[in-house]
Amino acid sequence: MRPHKIEPYRSVFDAIAGPGCPLCRYMRNYQAKCVQASLDPRPKGICNFHAWAIAAIHDRLDASQVFLNLLSSASLGGTMDCDICLRLAKEDGTQLRLVSASFKTLSTVHWLNTYGEICIPHSIELRKQVSLVHTPVIDRAVARYRDKLIRSLQEQQGVDIEGAGWGVLGHAAEFLAGQRGLYR
């Protein structure tokens, strides 16, 4: 994970502009904010993904203090919950509830019908929270986004330019598996 420019998003609705799943875009930003934030208080647990992110992003002395604290308190052979993952799961649930509650307004349904792009993991979670009458709207948005990604990936075939297609590869990975660090 590289340092990421943090956007001033207050909710998923601030992240709607742009390509890809707005929930993933919001959560990518939120995750960067969590990882790049001060390491005080020190995490009591850390997963593989976030340990490497802390090592890559933070000052060597700050990161080494976090790892020293974790190593000193680690139960050998035991597992620990990642503090950052727990914060992400809570925030992801909050944002999904905001989106599902907004289905009561025609503007959200219209947006999803017309422009909406949503990844498979977020669509699965969203389908659990909305009325059955709205699940076809979600399914059409997912199918439309999948078809767009397929067309974009097909256009990249045979293009041998350094860095060409990286954006669409990231969007395809996110569409299939969700934002890195969110779903394991």
Side-chain angles (χ1 to χ4, degrees):
M1 182 175 200
R2 297 177 300 239
H4 177 76
K5 180 182 179 228
I6 297 174
E7 299 293 335
Y9 298 148
R10 292 175 309 231
S11 78
V12 64
F13 300 112
D14 293 336
I16 285 180
C21 176
L23 285 153
C24 283
R25 186 176 310 103
Y26 175 87
M27 291 307 299
R28 181 181 327 115
N29 193 70
Y30 185 79
Q31 178 169 239
K33 195 182 325 183
C34 290
V35 171
Q36 291 173 214
S38 166
L39 294 173
D40 200 17
R42 304 275 186 228
K44 292 175 183 55
I46 199 83
C47 70
N48 177 11
F49 182 84
H50 292 118
W52 282 100
I54 286 172
I57 291 174
H58 282 280
D59 172 83
R60 181 183 57 82
L61 295 175
D62 289 340
S64 66
Q65 189 60 52
V66 167
F67 295 148
L68 277 170
N69 290 347
L70 288 167
L71 288 167
S72 298
S73 64
S75 166
L76 302 179
T79 60
M80 56 186 140
D81 288 330
C82 175
D83 293 0
I84 296 172
C85 286
L86 293 173
R87 287 178 64 191
L88 293 173
K90 182 178 177 187
E91 184 65 19
D92 197 42
T94 298
Q95 296 304 315
L96 277 162
R97 283 189 297 280
L98 278 175
V99 172
S100 67
S102 74
F103 267 72
K104 295 175 183 138
T105 68
L106 290 178
S107 59
T108 300
V109 173
H110 174 72
W111 169 79
L112 199 54
N113 263 327
T114 310
Y115 312 104
E117 296 176 346
I118 190 164
C119 70
I120 291 172
H122 279 125
S123 71
I124 291 168
E125 293 305 312
L126 194 55
R127 288 177 100 249
K128 294 175 187 174
Q129 296 184 24
V130 299
S131 163
L132 285 176
V133 74
H134 295 303
T135 58
V137 174
I138 295 168
D139 294 343
R140 283 191 301 272
V142 171
R144 186 176 55 251
Y145 187 29
R146 180 200 59 217
D147 294 345
K148 177 183 172 183
L149 288 168
I150 288 170
R151 284 190 307 277
S152 296
L153 287 167
Q154 287 171 338
E155 289 170 6
Q156 295 297 318
Q157 298 296 306
V159 175
D160 193 20
I161 301 170
E162 184 67 29
W166 180 246
V168 72
L169 291 176
H171 285 293
E174 193 172 80
F175 174 80
L176 293 166
Q179 174 54 37
R180 285 179 294 198
L182 290 184
Y183 299 99
R184 305 207 185 285

